[in-house]
Amino acid sequence: QQALLALGGAPDVLAQLTEIAGRTGPLPAELEMVLAALERDPHPAAAPLLARMFPRLDAIAEHRNPVREVIGGTTTAWDVRTNQAVMLFKLYVRLVPIAQVSAAVALLRAATPLMAWVLISSAGDLEERGVALGGAAALDPALPLEVRRAALAVLTRFALAPSTPLGLAAVERLQRVRADPALAEDAQRVLSDIGVAKS
């Protein structure tokens, strides 16, 4: 099956995802393999399928908090269920049209606050999509404040290079967040730290 997915590329991966998304109940064990194949050969048509599957993830359906496991006696890493949630969430954000990235905030609302914190924190390498997601999550009053602060931290990482296009976009979103009473002080502190004058 793994060889078939690797050789078949996007059509076989989409067929597998469509089949999995059409089922009910717990997601199958092979989901992670299908997601890995999708990462290698991404296709935008997979985005709505991923959104349909997200609430059925064990970590989300069971309202689990993220779990750290010790590997090799010294290294800690997220457990399989947490990793699966992060993998699916980030794939969705990468594949959805850029104008619809803010829709990923709805997925965050389906998770526990701690799991949502992990998911939004994982967006730091998603470039312009990370900026869009961070801005949308920081401004979403339905999300817990700690999740919104994690989104603000994502924006902050991008804003540390304010002369780049990504940095400018992050600063613009931080300025929007500054108008929100819940995060106004946090956003202003970040903007002051990076030398953006109050306007």
Side-chain angles (χ1 to χ4, degrees):
Q1 189 179 24
Q2 191 166 10
L4 178 64
L5 285 171
L7 291 172
D12 282 350
V13 173
L14 286 173
Q16 286 271 1
L17 283 175
T18 302
E19 181 190 344
I20 293 170
R23 300 179 205 164
T24 57
L27 291 166
E30 69 264 21
L31 176 64
E32 198 160 330
M33 183 182 68
V34 178
L35 293 178
L38 182 63
E39 269 193 330
R40 290 192 302 271
D41 195 1
H43 197 289
L49 300 172
L50 296 175
R52 279 171 58 191
M53 285 187 277
F54 187 80
R56 291 168 52 205
L57 287 166
D58 287 343
I60 308 302
E62 297 171 11
H63 295 284
R64 287 178 68 259
N65 285 326
V67 175
R68 282 278 189 190
E69 292 183 330
V70 179
I71 301 170
T74 55
T75 307
T76 60
W78 294 122
D79 71 337
V80 171
R81 290 176 173 184
T82 305
N83 272 327
Q84 195 175 67
V86 169
M87 191 177 191
L88 196 153
F89 180 76
K90 289 180 73 172
L91 269 171
Y92 174 79
V93 175
R94 284 189 177 115
L95 294 176
V96 77
I98 187 70
Q100 297 173 25
V101 165
S102 58
V105 173
L107 304 186
L108 294 174
R109 293 191 211 112
T112 65
L114 283 175
M115 186 65 75
W117 185 93
V118 169
L119 295 174
I120 190 65
S121 298
S122 74
D125 62 349
L126 295 178
E127 298 186 337
E128 70 269 20
R129 292 167 185 274
V131 171
L133 178 62
L139 287 169
D140 189 332
L143 290 174
L145 190 56
E146 63 265 34
V147 177
R148 297 176 67 192
R149 284 200 170 110
L152 190 74
V154 170
L155 289 176
T156 300
R157 288 200 292 273
F158 289 111
L160 292 176
S163 60
T164 66
L166 279 177
L168 288 170
V171 166
E172 187 269 331
R173 281 166 176 81
L174 283 166
Q175 289 170 331
R176 286 190 220 169
V177 174
R178 187 173 56 190
D180 186 301
L183 290 176
E185 287 186 19
D186 301 73
Q188 181 55 48
R189 192 178 308 115
V190 172
L191 291 167
S192 297
D193 287 347
I194 60 176
V196 175
K198 187 171 182 178
S199 58

